[in-house]
Amino acid sequence: MIDTEGIIRRIPHRYPIMVLDRVIEVNPGENLVGLKAITANEPCYQAAPGQPPLDDYRYPPSLLLESWAQAAVVLATWDEPNPDVLAGKVELAALAKEVEFTGRVYPGDVVEHRVSLVRQLGPTSIVEGTSVAGSTEVLRVGQFVLAMREMAEVLAARRQPETV
Amino acid sequence: MAAYASATAPRVELVSSEGDVHVAAVTIDPRDPVFAGHYPGFPVYPGAYMMAVVDHTVRAATGLDLELAAMRQAKFRSPVYPGDHVTVEVTVRPNDADGEAGWAVSAVVTGPSGVATDMRLTYREGGS
């Protein structure tokens, strides 16, 4: 079992977007199971200034996917964890395919993310999986591609934008 | 219409709407609290937040009560950074697959470095 402190030693995400709480099972190079508990006190539930109070507490699908993706990063970088991008590398999402939001998630739910590593070739990792809340499937990820990029390369690309 | 939670609350300024195609201008707010954690020392806009920007654009453009059903494909081509001005072009078409009322959305987000993200989403009617 890898607790939150163990997770932050493996991935660079921090508050308010560290949305993976625990890893309960890992077979390195194969698959991983992680947990995210949803609470009404999360940053996403803070009403924006001037906006009406929420009356729908569904957990945003984008954050559900982000949470699953962080579990995927833990699996993909298991042999070379990268908790600090300033140390030289950053794992970026390149592609997502056939992502389905099959169930709604609410405060009080504990979401279980299941990630499988399909293939890893150099800096590129292909993963897939599902997430469940209790016995309800809430997310299906057909394919998710992660790319480990050198920070020097990312920064160089930023300094020379393509002319449109 | 329900006031729902979102990853972030970007200010989306619609600049044009012609038929199915809607374009919005969005500035990635450098004060967004997310940057403290994504990532310390190297702030870069999360892909999940880009999904929220597209979602906000679709809602602002159509005024429809929608629930995101699927992301058929999303390509994250280049990073987006604090302060970047991006345009979000969404094409919203009815999609009655599976006999359920829904919408198919294709979105292109263009930033200072060219196309940052393009995605195809499926929405169904909102409501509980």
Side-chain angles (χ1 to χ4, degrees):
Chain A
M1 199 269 288
I2 299 159
D3 61 11
T4 308
E5 196 246 345
I7 292 169
I8 66 167
R9 283 192 275 116
R10 293 188 157 271
I11 66 175
H13 307 70
R14 296 291 179 268
Y15 185 88
I17 197 166
M18 216 296 271
V19 285
L20 182 67
D21 293 328
R22 189 177 289 175
V23 170
I24 56 172
E25 190 183 311
V26 58
N27 295 302
E30 306 261 336
N31 51 53
L32 176 149
V33 183
L35 299 179
K36 159 105 183 92
I38 312 298
T39 173
N41 216 38
E42 309 224 10
C44 67
Y45 292 123
Q46 183 177 35
Q51 295 299 309
L54 296 179
D55 55 24
D56 185 337
Y57 275 73
R58 282 173 232 181
Y59 192 60
S62 59
L63 289 179
L64 181 65
L65 180 61
E66 171 71 27
S67 178
W68 182 92
Q70 289 180 15
V73 171
V74 172
L75 179 64
T77 62
W78 187 262
D79 291 333
E80 286 186 50
N82 192 54
D84 177 6
V85 305
L86 295 178
K89 293 192 192 202
V90 61
E91 182 94 313
L92 293 174
L95 173 69
K97 276 175 108 158
E98 295 308 325
V99 175
E100 294 178 74
F101 301 100
T102 49
R104 295 169 186 164
V105 176
Y106 288 97
D109 286 337
V110 176
V111 179
E112 183 177 293
H113 298 303
R114 299 166 182 168
V115 186
S116 297
L117 184 65
V118 175
R119 185 157 57 247
Q120 198 160 51
L121 196 61
T124 304
S125 305
I126 303 175
V127 288
E128 65 184 19
T130 61
S131 305
V132 297
S135 55
T136 305
E137 184 196 73
V138 294
L139 175 70
R140 243 178 256 162
V141 180
Q143 185 183 89
F144 202 88
V145 180
L146 294 161
M148 184 64 91
R149 304 268 307 271
E150 296 286 339
M151 277 299 295
E153 179 208 327
V154 174
L155 291 170
R158 184 181 184 179
R159 275 184 229 114
Q160 291 171 35
E162 288 168 28
T163 44
V164 177
Chain B
M1 214 183 306
Y4 62 95
S6 180
T8 188
R11 216 167 309 134
V12 165
E13 187 199 326
L14 274 177
V15 296
S16 74
S17 260
E18 276 173 62
D20 297 334
V21 183
H22 313 273
V23 180
V26 180
T27 299
I28 305 302
D29 186 352
R31 295 161 306 175
D32 193 310
V34 74
F35 290 121
H38 195 284
Y39 300 106
F42 179 65
V44 56
Y45 207 58
Y49 278 42
M50 198 55 70
M51 281 176 70
V53 167
V54 169
D55 186 78
H56 279 266
T57 302
V58 171
R59 290 172 198 280
T62 64
L64 293 167
D65 186 13
L66 305 166
E67 181 172 9
L68 184 59
M71 188 160 72
R72 294 287 161 222
Q73 183 168 280
K75 289 188 186 166
F76 301 99
R77 298 176 187 276
S78 61
V80 171
Y81 296 106
D84 279 357
H85 301 286
V86 302
T87 59
V88 184
E89 181 184 295
V90 300
T91 304
V92 184
R93 299 210 169 97
N95 170 29
D96 293 331
D98 312 321
E100 265 184 55
W103 289 267
V105 172
S106 62
V108 179
V109 180
T110 307
S113 299
V115 173
T117 307
D118 53 79
M119 49 180 86
R120 285 187 281 118
L121 307 169
T122 305
Y123 281 87
R124 52 178 165 251
E125 251 175 22
S128 334

